[in-house]
Amino acid sequence: MSPADFTRPASLQGAVDLGARKQALEAQARREAAAQQAAAGGAPAAPAAGTVIDVTDETFATDVIERSMRTPVILDLWATWCEPCKQLSPILEKLAAEAAGRWVLAKVDVDASPQISGALQVQSIPTVLAVFQGQAVTGFQGALPEAQVRQWLDQLMQALAQYLPPTPDAPQDEQGAEPQPQTDPDLLAAEKAIEEGDLDAAAAAYERLLARSPADPDAKIGLAGVGLVRRTQDLDAGAVLRRAAENPSDVELQSQAADIEMLSGQVDEAFERLVQTVRRTSGDDRDRVRRHLLGLFDALPASDPSVAKARRSLASALF
């Protein structure tokens, strides 16, 4: 695997095929939406009822991590002896009912499920965390009044709006179609730089875009792809894979081997390699592997089934 293999535009969206995977997922989503609409006689599907669920150590991976890949999950960490919890929980349940399925309230009794609170490093209760696409994105501690909780939720949903299905009252143009966003100039600059083989310029453009819009999915995918190329372009792929097989607990070798597998299209193998490395390591080494795996997730759309599967495996390894 020579440096020349990584200078073509396809190096970022060819071997891993980021663009094709993303387009396939979007096409699948459109087909499913059309099927739902047809089943309803041409009318949009009705929103789901508000959801409140109880979560345990055993169900966390499915009820929180997996569910958050599609819908924001609000974690309410509480205990039966906690008086402020008794004030906050009814407020959250009321707002969950009003949300009508736009987000899910997951209640965690910290006494009954100590692994969850330990893994999340919860210092006091009540603690509320918003989880989306497998990661805690924001939260607060203490029993806030309803107005402040409502404001926090409104800000959260506004920040996540671009990643969620449109609401029935979303703005439309004169033809009845939702307005299409213009392509960001920095995204265009990054794509042009990739076509020219200038990875530094591409990374700089993606970083400018992320500075303005930290959650931009195209910039996150692009920058993660550039990082993959940079990390692997001077590696001897065969030698790294052989050494990684001989040293399963070597964090650096396993991370390099996973990068190589990603760029060769072996996405599931790369993710599984790092999940198993998480299982067999601890302390700082374990955290390094975990963070490297999360970085590889960024190289694919968050809705990619391989990412969802690996997030569940990672949650199982950690919890």
Side-chain angles (χ1 to χ4, degrees), residues 150-219:
R150 189 183 295 275
Q151 181 182 28
W152 176 77
L153 283 166
D154 288 344
Q155 292 173 346
L156 170 69
M157 297 308 289
Q158 288 172 12
L160 299 180
Q162 61 182 313
Y163 309 109
L164 300 174
T167 56
D169 57 353
Q172 297 184 337
D173 62 19
E174 295 180 356
Q175 286 73 39
E178 292 181 18
Q180 297 299 313
Q182 297 295 316
T183 303
D184 189 282
D186 277 323
L187 191 59
L188 293 175
E191 292 172 352
K192 183 175 184 294
I194 289 173
E195 291 174 358
E196 296 172 351
D198 190 343
L199 296 182
D200 290 340
Y206 286 133
E207 287 167 352
R208 289 194 301 270
L209 177 50
L210 288 170
R212 298 193 311 275
S213 181
D216 185 279
D218 292 321

Side-chain angles (χ1 to χ4, degrees), residues 58-78:
E58 291 74 22
T59 64
F60 184 84
T62 299
D63 286 348
V64 176
I65 299 298
E66 181 175 355
R67 190 185 297 262
S68 76
M69 304 310 296
R70 308 179 301 275
T71 306
V73 176
I74 306 301
L75 279 179
D76 175 19
L77 294 115
W78 64 284

